[in-house]
Amino acid sequence: MRRWLRWGIGGVLTGVPLLLAVAGPWLVSGPGARSRAFVAGDGHPLGTDFVGRDVWQQVLLGGRTVLLVAMLATVLAYLVAVPWGIAAAVSRHRWVDELLMRPLDLVLALPSLLLLVLLATIAPSGSPTLVAIVALLNLPGITRIVRAAALEVGSRPAVEALRLQGEGWWRITVGYVARSIVRTLAADLGTRFTGALYLVASASFLGVGVPPDASDWAVMVDRNRPGLFVQPWAVLAPALLIVALSVGVNLLFDRALATRSGPGPRPGARPGARSGARTETGSGNRPGPRPEPQGAAP
């Protein structure tokens, strides 16, 4: 019951923001008439925003950019980081490992928000630029995790046995090493998507890559802050959707990994004991009398 409850909570938290982000723009017929700023009610289910637009309409329109940019940035980061980290791990030359990993330390040394603002000022504005910047910021962390996992797999005797059998680089690297770290990457994927979502929301909050009056959940949180205590739904609705999406994705990934790992040993069961087997000293299998040695003198 608890397992299905977690699946249900994760599915609802993830599904509602996804549904609004994907289907929301199709449900909006037009721009709609503007009213007074920060009005609660007055024909608007969630009130109006800082320029008098309907908040519910802006919620329907504002999720696609945040979601699409975060997903594309996460996918792009993994497409680059996975071969990069595996190449550094399986290389037998120390200088190759240093050449591949040391430049990433320079990116890690700078705060992500500072680097985000610096890169956005010198790059052309737009969603493709934001995707590239967020992917670049996530690249060092993913690469280091891939390298650490691949190093552990590469030191196994099975890898040396494959080399002795004459297997090629592709068979060892992709067929064994890459397949062995899939669970590690799956466990990291939910966290990375949440981090990408946070960076995209922060960029939109700072006005990087997104117009200041755009229909965007993060922009809504920023621009409607002055009316938080007058018309709170203009801030709470997009903020809660971003939080729900982040929490829901991680719940689903955690539940999926726990399901694939299979049930653990029963409480109190001894390691290695098969289910239903009687122990040697159990009540149903008492040891009998020891037989006398044959050939003994009467």
Side-chain angles (χ1 to χ4, degrees), residues 191-263:
T191 305
R192 295 299 167 183
F193 176 74
T194 302
L197 194 64
Y198 161 75
L199 287 173
V200 173
S202 300
S204 302
F205 186 84
L206 296 172
V208 176
V210 179
D213 59 344
S215 298
D216 184 272
W217 288 348
V219 174
M220 291 174 64
V221 175
D222 177 38
R223 295 296 181 263
N224 294 313
R225 281 183 300 129
L228 177 61
F229 297 101
V230 179
Q231 213 291 82
W233 284 114
V235 176
L236 293 180
L240 289 176
L241 287 171
I242 294 175
V243 172
L245 182 60
S246 302
V247 175
V249 167
N250 281 283
L251 277 177
L252 290 180
F253 271 96
D254 291 345
R255 189 65 259 169
L257 290 172
T259 302
R260 288 192 60 184
S261 61

Side-chain angles (χ1 to χ4, degrees), residues 87-88 90-99:
V90 301
S91 175
R92 294 189 172 186
H93 302 286
R94 179 71 177 179
W95 65 270
V96 175
D97 189 10
E98 295 289 333
L99 183 64

Side-chain angles (χ1 to χ4, degrees), residues 3-87:
R3 183 199 319 174
W4 292 110
L5 182 61
R6 292 199 175 198
W7 276 115
I9 294 175
V12 170
L13 292 177
T14 307
V16 171
L18 283 177
L19 182 62
L20 291 177
V22 174
W26 295 339
L27 301 176
V28 178
S29 57
R34 296 193 179 187
S35 178
R36 292 179 294 119
F38 297 130
V39 174
D42 194 18
H44 305 282
L46 299 178
T48 61
D49 63 359
F50 69 107
V51 291
R53 297 176 300 186
D54 184 75
V55 172
W56 173 244
Q57 186 182 69
Q58 295 304 303
V59 166
L60 293 176
L61 294 173
R64 182 170 293 184
T65 302
V66 175
L67 180 64
L68 187 61
V69 172
M71 290 181 61
L72 291 178
T74 304
V75 171
L76 179 61
Y78 272 94
L79 288 177
V80 178
V82 171
W84 195 325
I86 292 179

